[in-house]
Amino acid sequence: MDEIFFFLQYGWKIVAIDQSLDAIKSYYNTLSLEKQKYLTIQDMRFESLELFPVEFIHAAYSLYFCTPDKFSFMWETICSNIKKGGLFSGNFIGNKDDWRKRSLTPKKFVTYEELYEMFIGFDLKYFCEQEFDGPFLDKECKIREKHWHTFDIIARKH
């Protein structure tokens, strides 16, 4: 949510997409009427993603919730709608993450090599692979521990 506030503060128009909008809606209600005009909320799964050409896409801790069989379509939609010179920033979950073995819902896990292929046509400005043990919030809002494997990326489209 901090990212949304940052961009709203500088006058960016934002489209927030999520299948579970409670947090975004509650955040939206704390904004001034002036700031609310710049934030559009869409309730949808990534599998049915519809975009328009934009200068920046920020996907924080979200893309891996797309079902694996729809991920390629979603990624193509994202890439084709970032304008030339536009930016992508986001996180991907790696194939060494605990959720690969014990998640009840399908997720898209990626390898370093897959990411390299996904970002052909982009200049990588920031790339960070991390592995660590740390907390996550489960569906019952309880804090649990797991092994994280993530990739954080900022890239500019050629």
Side-chain angles (χ1 to χ4, degrees):
M1 298 299 172
D2 292 337
E3 298 91 347
I4 292 174
F5 179 75
F6 175 82
F7 289 111
L8 287 174
Q9 192 173 11
Y10 288 95
W12 285 66
K13 292 181 181 174
I14 298 172
V15 178
I17 299 169
D18 203 317
Q19 69 175 357
S20 176
L21 294 179
D22 292 340
I24 295 174
K25 284 181 181 175
S26 112
Y27 175 79
Y28 179 85
N29 292 331
T30 67
L31 297 172
S32 69
L33 292 176
E34 181 63 30
K35 297 279 189 234
Q36 286 180 0
K37 289 191 268 185
Y38 289 93
L39 178 59
T40 303
I41 299 172
Q42 292 184 6
D43 183 6
M44 73 171 63
R45 292 190 54 84
F46 290 120
E47 291 83 344
S48 54
L49 186 64
E50 294 178 21
L51 288 176
F52 47 87
V54 295
E55 295 177 28
F56 179 58
I57 290 181
H58 176 65
Y61 301 99
S62 56
L63 296 180
Y64 43 84
F65 290 109
C66 179
T67 56
D69 62 327
K70 304 289 187 192
F71 186 83
S72 292
F73 167 78
M74 181 210 51
W75 184 247
E76 168 117 3
T77 301
I78 287 172
C79 290
S80 65
N81 281 287
I82 296 175
K83 294 178 182 179
K84 182 178 179 178
L87 291 170
F88 170 87
S89 82
N91 319 95
F92 297 88
I93 195 162
N95 63 329
K96 299 174 193 168
D97 195 278
D98 270 355
W99 279 341
R100 184 167 184 158
K101 294 177 239 159
R102 62 180 179 156
S103 178
L104 299 177
T105 57
K107 292 177 180 55
K108 175 61 178 167
F109 300 93
V110 296
T111 64
Y112 175 86
E113 293 78 18
E114 286 175 294
L115 284 174
Y116 179 81
E117 291 293 319
M118 288 169 56
F119 282 92
I120 290 175
F122 287 81
D123 292 322
L124 289 178
K125 300 297 182 185
Y126 178 80
F127 183 95
C128 180
E129 179 179 11
Q130 297 181 79
E131 279 194 68
F132 61 95
D133 293 328
F136 78 99
L137 204 56
D138 70 11
K139 288 185 179 188
E140 290 83 37
C141 293
K142 293 181 181 171
I143 296 174
R144 306 275 188 213
E145 288 287 318
K146 74 179 210 67
H147 182 76
W148 288 91
H149 180 211
T150 61
F151 296 94
D152 301 324
I153 295 176
I154 301 173
R156 183 175 303 280
K157 189 173 182 181
H158 294 188

